[in-house]
Amino acid sequence: MVARVGGREFMLTLINTSLEDGIIIIKRIRKQVESPSLVSIPMTLTVGLEEYKQESIEHVLEKADKALYQAKETGRNRWFVS
């Protein structure tokens, strides 16, 4: 499931996917976004990752958001796991 969270922020929910597999998927998505064949202007992707561990959805989203901002603060165009 993909949802727009706000502005240029989107959330991707991967059901029955390990954190390791999620990282592989994010790397593939980033490669496609950066591909010149996708759009004529350069684009990058910065991602905050979090694994659901039987906690509230609000807590998972909060941790993913913190990871996103850590990725942004370390230079963008990267992924970060909380």
Side-chain angles (χ1 to χ4, degrees):
M1 176 179 68
V2 177
R4 182 172 180 228
V5 178
R8 295 177 292 178
E9 292 184 7
F10 296 84
M11 178 179 67
L12 173 63
T13 304
L14 303 171
I15 306 299
N16 298 322
T17 305
S18 69
L19 184 58
E20 293 79 16
D21 287 342
I23 291 169
I24 291 168
I25 292 167
I26 289 303
K27 287 180 178 180
R28 288 180 185 163
I29 292 171
R30 282 186 57 226
K31 188 174 182 178
Q32 288 298 313
V33 166
E34 294 171 3
S35 170
S37 63
L38 184 64
V39 293
S40 60
I41 57 171
M43 288 180 46
T44 61
L45 181 67
T46 305
V47 179
L49 294 163
E50 178 57 34
E51 185 174 24
Y52 175 70
K53 300 175 188 163
Q54 302 300 323
E55 52 199 321
S56 73
I57 296 301
E58 291 82 10
H59 187 67
V60 172
L61 292 175
E62 180 181 310
K63 288 168 48 177
D65 193 53
K66 285 181 182 178
L68 170 64
Y69 281 93
Q70 286 178 311
K72 286 181 177 182
E73 289 173 4
T74 57
R76 298 182 180 251
N77 194 28
R78 62 191 69 229
W79 54 271
F80 195 90
V81 179
S82 66

